[in-house]
Amino acid sequence: MENNNGDFRKRIINDYDKNIALDKKDIRTENVYSNNKVVSLVFISLLLDLLAFTMILPLLPSLLDYYDKEEGDKATLYSALLNAVKRFQTMTGAPDRFASVLFGGALGSMYSFLQFLTSPIVGSLSDAYGRKPLLFICLVGIALSHGLWRYASSFSLFVLARFIGGLSKANVSLSMAIVTDVSNEKNRAKGMALIGLAFSVGFILGPLAGAWFAKNNDHSSGMWGERPAQYALFLSLANVILVTFFIPETLAKEKRAPLSLSLSKGLDYVSPWHLVKFSAVKNLTEHQNKVLYKLGLIYFTYLFIYSGLEFTLTFLTHHTFKYTAMQQGKMFLVIGVIMSLLQGGAARRLGARGAVTAARLALALTPLSFLCVALAAVPRPILMAPIGWLWAGLVLFALSTAFAVSCMTSMAAAQAPEESRGAVLGTVRSLGALARAAGPLIASTVYWCYGASVTYTIGAIILIIPAVMLFRLRT
């Protein structure tokens, strides 16, 4: 009888343990489902943002032509900036037909520089007050910038719209922080790959949509792109609604870091040297700080050279290969499709170690891609015709770009304490924005002073440095 009672108690205890285990499994499954849902919503949010953001890209030349016609002979902000671009053009020897490209590059540099100023500050604020309030503010600012563009019959109002948009663009680093909050080492690279996929799809469809809306624009209602701006505003407002009602707060209050701001702290947020050292980030161990410092140097050096060479590709294809705007659009479409296929497939399956390996291979391929482009700029290159070398370089360029930034960002996120992820990812984003602000100006100067083949050869040699550094980095 006693044995029977003992067996009965054991069965009850075993059944209880099994039920507890099943409940825990159900909770884990529910959490995984919830986290995947959040990542999917962040992907949609970024896609809406990037579709709106990229609509303006194919319209810049015609926009500048409009403002030139309206304000070129007047003492306005447009004429002052145009004179500065012309002085740069004269200094470097760039042909007159590229003035609009250089003007667009100057506006792009301003936009990136503003991101450099705000991304680490907004990231740190999100560590203290949560991701969602800061993301909401950024998206409202972006919607305001598109709204101003819709009514930008003057160049000053157009620049104000771009200024507000640049200040508000910290939403990208906040999206990365949200993805990091709801992921772990095994699936963090997958989340970052989805962010990369949003960029690829946005940069494929956005410019096409902008060109289509501009083509069907009622010219009597605004030659500055009123209709594309109206659709960009609609997408931005939809994004605000999505974040407000569907994306939850992912940083619990007990995990938030207290915020302390001072003059010296402010310098940590805007000084390039302090940014590379991640001085504004709290709670880093000595090992984490050492890894992030080296990774910051690698990331900045890579994007500084890469963004400059990327910007001058349009000069090369137009000047050497006589590509029309449509042919250049198709070229970037092919690059975007290759990147999308890789980011939607292979990059999403990477684990923590796989992301490190992919980043190293991507940085190793990048010098080779620009060396191919350098050979394309030579009149009689070895082995292949110039057009063959160009497309060999562009395919390698797409392969490397698909993995480089997202995988290095995943590596940085892996070194971030839970309470400092926003600051770490904001700092990474800020370093990238500073690189993209300065890189095109330096590369354009070298391109027009010394020629395409010299520019891409020098760039390819310098890009070996971050590749070697990343191979030697021990995380």
Side-chain angles (χ1 to χ4, degrees):
M1 185 72 178
E2 193 174 327
N3 287 338
N4 289 337
N5 287 337
D7 291 340
F8 181 69
R9 283 196 299 271
K10 286 180 181 178
R11 282 199 301 271
I12 291 176
I13 291 170
N14 287 336
D15 289 343
Y16 177 78
D17 289 341
K18 286 178 182 178
N19 288 332
I20 292 294
L22 287 171
D23 288 342
K24 287 181 177 178
K25 184 177 180 182
D26 289 342
I27 291 169
R28 285 196 300 269
T29 303
E30 187 177 339
N31 286 340
V32 169
Y33 172 77
S34 177
N35 291 345
N36 288 340
K37 184 180 178 182
V38 171
V39 172
S40 299
L41 289 171
V42 169
F43 170 79
I44 295 170
S45 172
L46 268 178
L47 186 58
L48 289 172
D49 174 59
L50 291 162
L51 287 171
F53 168 72
T54 55
M55 276 191 188
I56 198 172
L57 298 182
L59 312 181
L60 272 174
S62 57
L63 283 170
L64 296 177
D65 287 344
Y66 167 79
Y67 291 122
D68 183 57
K69 182 180 178 182
E70 294 295 315
E71 304 182 22
D73 297 328
K74 304 172 186 175
T76 61
L77 177 62
Y78 178 85
S79 61
L81 289 177
L82 183 62
N83 289 333
V85 168
K86 284 183 176 179
R87 286 195 293 272
F88 176 80
Q89 185 184 341
T90 303
M91 179 185 75
T92 59
D96 287 339
R97 64 181 178 276
F98 290 110
S100 63
V101 179
L102 292 169
F103 205 128
L107 288 175
S109 292
M110 178 199 76
Y111 199 90
S112 294
F113 183 75
L114 292 169
Q115 289 182 62
F116 151 71
L117 291 177
T118 58
S119 288
I121 297 173
V122 172
S124 292
L125 287 171
S126 78
D127 287 334
Y129 301 110
R131 314 294 186 211
K132 190 169 180 175
L134 275 298
L135 182 58
F136 175 81
I137 292 169
C138 287
L139 293 180
V140 169
I142 290 169
L144 177 61
S145 74
H146 292 311
L148 287 173
W149 174 29
R150 185 182 183 279
Y151 296 100
S153 56
S154 70
F155 183 72
S156 297
L157 191 57
F158 177 72
V159 170
L160 178 61
R162 300 297 290 169
F163 188 87
I164 293 173
L167 287 176
S168 305
K169 209 59 186 165
N171 68 304
V172 177
S173 58
L174 289 174
S175 298
M176 292 177 177
I178 291 172
V179 169
T180 304
D181 287 340
V182 300
S183 61
N184 53 39
E185 283 192 11
K186 291 182 179 179
N187 59 15
R188 186 176 293 120
K190 176 182 176 182
M192 293 302 171
L194 271 178
I195 289 176
L197 179 61
F199 271 85
S200 296
V201 174
F203 274 83
I204 290 171
L205 299 180
L208 293 176
W212 190 84
F213 287 133
K215 185 179 179 181
N216 294 278
N217 193 54
D218 179 7
H219 286 199
S220 63
S221 66
M223 292 291 288
W224 58 88
E226 181 180 6
R227 191 173 178 189
Q230 187 171 325
Y231 281 97
L233 175 60
F234 172 77
L235 291 173
S236 299
L237 291 174
N239 201 1
V240 172
I241 293 171
L242 173 69
V243 168
T244 302
F245 295 105
F246 297 100
I247 295 182
E249 176 57 61
T250 57
L251 185 63
K253 288 185 178 180
E254 62 271 15
K255 295 179 181 178
R256 296 178 189 177
L259 185 71
S260 60
L261 288 176
S262 61
L263 181 60
S264 61
K265 195 74 172 176
L267 290 174
D268 289 346
Y269 288 123
V270 296
S271 163
W273 176 241
H274 286 94
L275 281 171
V276 170
K277 293 172 68 178
F278 289 79
S279 300
V281 182
K282 300 178 182 178
N283 306 316
L284 293 176
T285 65
E286 186 178 349
H287 175 73
Q288 288 171 332
N289 192 256
K290 184 178 179 182
V291 172
L292 284 171
Y293 168 61
K294 291 180 178 179
L295 195 57
L297 276 176
I298 293 166
Y299 189 80
F300 177 81
T301 306
Y302 165 79
L303 271 181
F304 176 75
I305 303 298
Y306 166 91
S307 63
L309 299 182
E310 179 189 39
F311 179 75
T312 58
L313 272 177
T314 53
F315 295 141
L316 176 69
T317 54
H318 184 86
H319 192 249
T320 304
F321 295 95
K322 313 300 180 187
Y323 272 24
T324 63
M326 182 59 71
Q327 286 174 308
Q328 288 188 354
K330 290 178 179 177
M331 176 184 77
F332 285 110
L333 177 63
V334 171
I335 292 171
V337 168
I338 293 172
M339 289 173 59
S340 297
L341 291 173
L342 289 170
Q343 288 163 335
R348 289 183 61 192
R349 294 180 174 85
L350 294 173
R353 299 311 304 171
V356 175
T357 302
R360 288 170 175 168
L361 291 175
L363 264 65
L365 281 178
T366 307
L368 186 59
S369 70
F370 285 112
L371 188 59
C372 290
V373 176
L375 287 168
V378 176
R380 292 183 181 84
I382 59 172
L383 300 178
M384 288 192 292
I387 192 68
W389 281 114
L390 175 67
W391 277 100
L394 292 177
V395 170
L396 290 173
F397 172 85
L399 291 172
S400 60
T401 304
F403 295 96
V405 171
S406 63
C407 289
M408 281 194 285
T409 304
S410 179
M411 291 172 66
Q415 300 297 323
E418 213 166 5
E419 66 275 15
S420 303
R421 282 173 181 161
V424 167
L425 292 172
T427 300
V428 170
R429 184 73 184 167
S430 182
L431 286 170
L434 180 61
R436 289 187 180 279
L441 297 177
I442 302 299
S444 295
T445 302
V446 178
Y447 185 98
W448 293 117
C449 288
Y450 300 103
S453 59
V454 172
T455 302
Y456 293 118
T457 301
I458 292 173
I461 292 170
I462 296 174
L463 281 168
I464 294 172
I465 298 171
V468 171
M469 289 175 68
L470 191 60
F471 270 95
R472 296 180 62 183
L473 181 65
R474 294 291 174 261
T475 58

